Amino acid sequence: MKRTFELAAWAVLLSLAWHVIASAQQNDAPQAGSAAGIPLDQLQAMAAEGDPEAQYRLAEKMRTGSAAERNPEKAAALYKLSADQGFAWSQFRLGELYEDGEIVKRDLGKALMFYRAAAEQGHAGAQYALAHMFHLGSGVKQDVAAAMVWYRKAALQGDEWAQLALGDQYRIGLAIPRDLAQSTGWYRRAADKGNMFAQYELGTAYRDGNGVDPDMAKAVEWFTLSAEAGNPSAQLALADIGLDGTARVTPPDVLPSSTGDPEM
């Protein structure tokens, strides 16, 4: 019982930590559309005429102060106009604003509503954010099964943070059956995208033989990539590996149960 509680607490801490970092990095622009790359005055005119993409792009500029006077409150109003027309990126941004509470009053119920609207349109970042809210019971009754569904949807679209989350869940084995090979497979997908936390976890898997055959050379390779990206855990792991390439290895307590390719 004590171990289960400790694992659950650790899973929550991991989810919180990853979500804070992921939220700061979910800023990729939507694919180029009718309002992409046009001069500011034309963008303003298109937004005034009700173009939802123009409203989103102008809101982005006003929120950050890039190529327009910074005006977060007006940005929020433009996001709302665009979101009301069903523009998924604006719905996602509103979800972030209501979750953070820095520009608008914090309202987790509205955050959930806008994340869900964008997630149902296939927005991977919103799917990850929605999964996180279900996972922690933030603004909604905790529903781990729903969280896993949305994590998987986002992960299959290539969202590295959802892939990292699935790797964690398969490794911990509380929300879903423990499967170290599946865990390593999802970590690999995120690590290949340059996610330093997944790179560290993949290095740990190769060091300890969790879900893969032990391979110290590969462990060092992944630890090095993670350490160079600034992950202190990976830096400590490298420091713990001796000049002869050995380390204090923790024997795996569960044998691999699949090929390691994440399920589709």
Side-chain angles (χ1 to χ4, degrees):
M1 179 66 71
K2 180 180 178 182
R3 174 172 170 76
T4 300
F5 175 79
E6 289 174 346
L7 285 172
W10 180 240
V12 169
L13 288 173
L14 280 176
S15 182
L16 281 169
W18 294 168
H19 183 64
V20 169
I21 299 168
S23 295
Q25 297 186 10
Q26 293 278 10
N27 288 311
D28 293 338
Q31 293 182 350
S34 60
I38 68 172
L40 179 61
D41 58 343
Q42 293 182 32
L43 189 66
Q44 291 171 327
M46 291 175 66
E49 292 172 0
D51 185 296
E53 183 186 338
Q55 291 168 340
Y56 166 78
R57 293 186 182 277
L58 183 58
E60 288 285 274
K61 294 179 183 297
M62 288 185 168
R63 179 175 62 88
T64 62
S66 61
E69 182 179 352
R70 189 170 185 273
N71 190 330
E73 291 74 19
K74 190 169 183 179
L78 282 169
Y79 285 136
K80 182 63 165 57
L81 289 173
S82 176
D84 285 346
Q85 297 186 69
F87 196 72
W89 271 93
S90 291
Q91 293 168 339
F92 171 61
R93 281 288 184 259
L94 278 176
E96 289 187 317
L97 295 186
Y98 278 113
E99 184 179 17
D100 294 341
E102 294 182 4
I103 297 175
V104 297
K105 184 178 179 181
R106 191 167 192 249
D107 188 326
L108 294 180
K110 288 184 178 179
L112 184 81
M113 178 184 71
F114 283 113
Y115 280 147
R116 188 192 295 273
E120 289 176 348
Q121 293 194 67
H123 190 289
Q127 290 171 341
Y128 168 79
L130 184 61
H132 180 262
M133 294 189 79
F134 275 120
H135 194 181
L136 297 185
S138 178
V140 66
K141 182 178 179 181
Q142 187 178 38
D143 188 337
V144 177
M148 295 305 111
V149 168
W150 287 109
Y151 278 141
R152 185 168 280 105
K153 285 179 182 290
L156 289 174
Q157 288 200 78
D159 187 283
E160 66 186 84
W161 298 101
Q163 291 167 346
L164 176 64
L166 280 181
D168 288 338
Q169 296 309 312
Y170 274 114
R171 177 172 57 82
I172 295 168
L174 291 178
I176 48 181
R178 194 174 193 218
D179 187 330
L180 293 181
Q182 280 287 326
S183 171
T184 301
W186 285 112
Y187 283 145
R188 186 185 305 279
R189 283 193 175 191
D192 284 341
K193 292 180 174 65
N195 187 294
M196 66 177 176
F197 302 106
Q199 290 169 342
Y200 168 75
E201 296 293 351
L202 194 55
T204 301
Y206 275 114
R207 183 194 65 192
D208 297 347
N210 288 332
V212 291
D213 293 331
D215 188 325
M216 190 57 69
K218 288 184 178 179
V220 169
E221 176 185 346
W222 287 110
F223 282 147
T224 299
L225 287 172
S226 182
E228 289 176 346
N231 187 349
S233 296
Q235 294 164 0
L236 289 172
L238 283 175
D240 198 41
I241 296 174
L243 295 177
D244 59 354
T246 61
R248 293 192 294 273
V249 177
T250 303
D253 55 0
V254 178
L255 293 176
S257 59
S258 68
T259 63
D261 294 326
E263 58 190 24
M264 300 299 288

